[in-house]
């Protein structure tokens, strides 16, 4: 084959490939992390991120979560004016924050007011797109404010956790958010209010070891990773492979640390029943 | 100190608004001045000098030396007639935690410490100062007992962190730490914590919910070990020295951040002759315990709550208040729905979070 024809063919194939890629968004199909099947994205979205084949619960966006949990158009965000600052002047933190704000990623947690089958609730939904949903000052402050508002307005609080733990870039200030949120949860609790902690995949470190474990009722999704130390850290420390199913929701329930394991499609219904029993 | 300057600037601006617009902002100004007063200038200048004595990394290494007085030594020196009490009453007794009752001078107290050995055997017995869930539950049981008998609680803390392993996870190390934070934050008796060596993350935090937090001059308190931070964030474990610097984990740094209330200076020969330094610490502790013992219970609890409640740094519309008001700008469109009003006063109230 002459060089020229080869060039024409290559060009043709290239443009066809480009055209094909342009017409097909990258994420038309999603591979299920569990059964590895390629699934039509629309189908997964419709199913709230649950694999239609194996039932695996994938990570969904904050917006999708509000659709799963709350009444249509009932969501009203609160405390949005709190923004992260680089108080320790930690190397690389400022740049990271600027990048995230440029992309409009709104902090490690969104907090607000919404309704579940008509019942008003206060909510927090953690956001892993913001430095792994780690607990910085803003996250701690928003949660404390949420509990305080819940106390003054006698509203139940529901917090959906997913987090890598403390925010290292905020040093001990981040650490203290554990005490701050736990103390706020305690005052909320003393006043007789209901706190439902919804722990999803993955939640580790300072979030598990503070407010997430302090719900009056603790609910998890099936097969979520929940722990204090991450599995890799434990393996490195004890130099031994971890048993199958270690630190999963099912494991935690068996050990007595989780009330309910609930499939995503059943969550709203379950929350509604719990709220009703508590006379909200 | 950027933080102090920021507060000062805000106070000035508020005063200016108060004058020019004739609005009463005394409450806001007072609360900021209170924040500012926590930073005592003379002490600050003195400590600024002492801070230079060692680099953060040097202090990390000093905090970890084997010869350094261990937390149980503090109990031995400071708590008279100490009677150790064992067990969590749930089936375990964690050797990494030492707890019991005795006197600080003439005040009956409950004292709880982590245990660390000065040699390998002692260290192994105490699991290198890393408590299991049972250790935290034992501490909470003793704190509850103190509450019943109206004894103040003193914690002496030196731990690399809570134990990281299969058993600890199985028996709910997260829940145990969370429970301590939750319950201790609301204890009806005053609580005091001395960080004596390493204050390792959540494992140290669960033993340090207190009305006053003291740090020994060469102790550290950190969200993660400098080595861990270096390998995770800087992708290079050898950058621990830099991480120690960045994490702001020394007593002096943490004082500036408003996390630590007092620093106990250590004598040159503290390792071999701890008595003089510990006598100073005893005096400080005694004065504070005395002071808090006469405080109204609710006031005491509020002080502890507010202390933790106020830790955090962020930007809010509140901080942007001066320019905004002075420029006559109204809401930035991000107001939380339903709560934003119109007009200057409502805008001000919203920005100040007064609703
Ligand atoms: Zn699947």
């Amino acid at each position: 084959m002459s060089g020229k024809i080869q060039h024409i063919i290559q060009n043709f194939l290239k443009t066809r490939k480009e055209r094909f890629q342009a017409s097909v968004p990258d994420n038309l199909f999603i591979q299920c992390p569990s059964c590895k099947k390629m699934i039509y994205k629309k189908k997964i979205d419709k199913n709230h991120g649950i694999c239609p084949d194996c039932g695996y619960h994938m990570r969904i966006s904050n917006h999708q979560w509000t659709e799963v949990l709350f009444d249509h158009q009932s969501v009203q965000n609160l405390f949005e004016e709190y923004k992260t600052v680089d108080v320790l002047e930690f190397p690389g933190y400022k740049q990271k924050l600027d990048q995230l704000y440029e992309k409009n990623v709104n902090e490690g947690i969104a907090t607000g007011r919404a309704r579940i089958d008509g019942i008003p609730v206060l909510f927090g939904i953690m956001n892993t797109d913001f430095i792994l949903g780690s607990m910085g000052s803003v996250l701690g402050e928003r949660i404390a404010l949420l509990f305080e508002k819940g106390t003054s307005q006698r509203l139940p609080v529901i917090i959906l956790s997913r987090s890598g733990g403390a925010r290292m870039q905020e040093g001990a200030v981040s650490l203290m958010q554990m005490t701050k949120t736990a103390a706020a949860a305690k005052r909320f609790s003393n006043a007789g209010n209901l706190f439902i902690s919804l722990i999803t995949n993955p939640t580790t470190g300072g979030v598990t070891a503070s407010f997430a474990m302090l719900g009056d009722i603790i609910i998890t999704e099936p097969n979520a990773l929940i722990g204090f130390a991450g599995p890799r850290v434990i393996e490195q420390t004890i130099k031994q492979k971890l048993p199958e199913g270690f630190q999963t929701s099912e494991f935690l329930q068996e050990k007595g640390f989780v009330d309910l394991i609930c499939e995503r499609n059943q969550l709203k219904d379950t929350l509604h029943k719990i709220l009703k029993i508590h006379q909200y | 100190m950027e933080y102090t300057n920021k507060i000062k600037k805000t106070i000035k601006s508020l005063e200016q608004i108060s004058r020019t617009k004739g609005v009463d902002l005394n409450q806001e100004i007072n609360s900021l001045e209170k924040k500012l007063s926590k930073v005592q200038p003379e002490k600050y200048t003195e400590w600024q000098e002492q801070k230079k004595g060692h680099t953060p990394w040097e202090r990390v290494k000093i905090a970890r030396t084997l010869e350094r007085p261990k937390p149980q030594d503090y109990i031995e020196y400071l708590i008279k007639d100490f009677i150790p009490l064992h067990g969590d009453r749930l089936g375990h007794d964690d050797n990494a935690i030492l707890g019991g009752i005795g006197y600080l001078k003439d005040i009956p107290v409950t004292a709880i410490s982590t245990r660390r050995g000065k040699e390998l055997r002692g260290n192994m017995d105490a699991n290198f100062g890393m408590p299991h869930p049972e250790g935290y539950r034992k501490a909470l049981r003793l704190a509850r007992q103190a509450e019943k008998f109206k004894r103040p609680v003193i914690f002496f803390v030196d731990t690399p962190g809570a134990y990281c392993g299969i058993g600890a996870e199985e028996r709910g190390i997260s829940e145990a730490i969370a429970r301590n934070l939750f319950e201790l934050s609301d204890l009806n008796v005053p609580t005091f914590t001395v960080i004596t060596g390493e204050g390792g993350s959540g494992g140290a935090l669960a033993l340090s919910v207190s009305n006053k937090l003291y740090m020994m001059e060469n102790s550290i308190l950190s969200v993660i070990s400098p080595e861990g931070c270096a390998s995770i964030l800087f992708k290079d474990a050898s950058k621990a020295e830099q991480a120690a610097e960045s994490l702001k984990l020394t007593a002096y740094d943490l004082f500036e951040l408003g996390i630590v209330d007092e620093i106990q200076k250590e004598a040159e020969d503290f390792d071999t002759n701890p008595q003089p330094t510990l006598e100073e610490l005893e005096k400080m502790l005694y004065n504070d315990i005395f002071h808090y013992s006469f405080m109204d219970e609710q006031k005491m609890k509020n002080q502890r709550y507010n202390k933790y409640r106020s830790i955090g740094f962020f930007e809010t519309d509140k901080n942007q208040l001066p320019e905004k008001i002075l420029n006559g700008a109204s809401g930035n469109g991000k107001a939380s729905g339903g709560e934003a009003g119109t007009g200057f006063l409502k805008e001000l109230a919203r920005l100040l979070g007064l609703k």
Side-chain angles (χ1 to χ4, degrees), chain A residues 83 137 148 180 187 229 247, chain B residues 169 302 309 311 313 315:
Chain A
K83 298 260 180 263
S137 289
E148 285 169 351
K180 176 162 128 184
R187 289 206 153 180
Q247 293 181 312
Chain B
E169 296 281 335
N302 286 344
R309 184 65 189 83
I311 299 177
F313 295 87
E315 237 169 61

Side-chain angles (χ1 to χ4, degrees), chain A residues 32 34-37 39 51 53-56 58:
Chain A
C32 169
S34 176
C35 68
K36 310 282 177 219
K37 277 205 185 101
I39 305 150
C51 173
D53 270 16
C54 71
Y56 179 82
M58 297 178 201

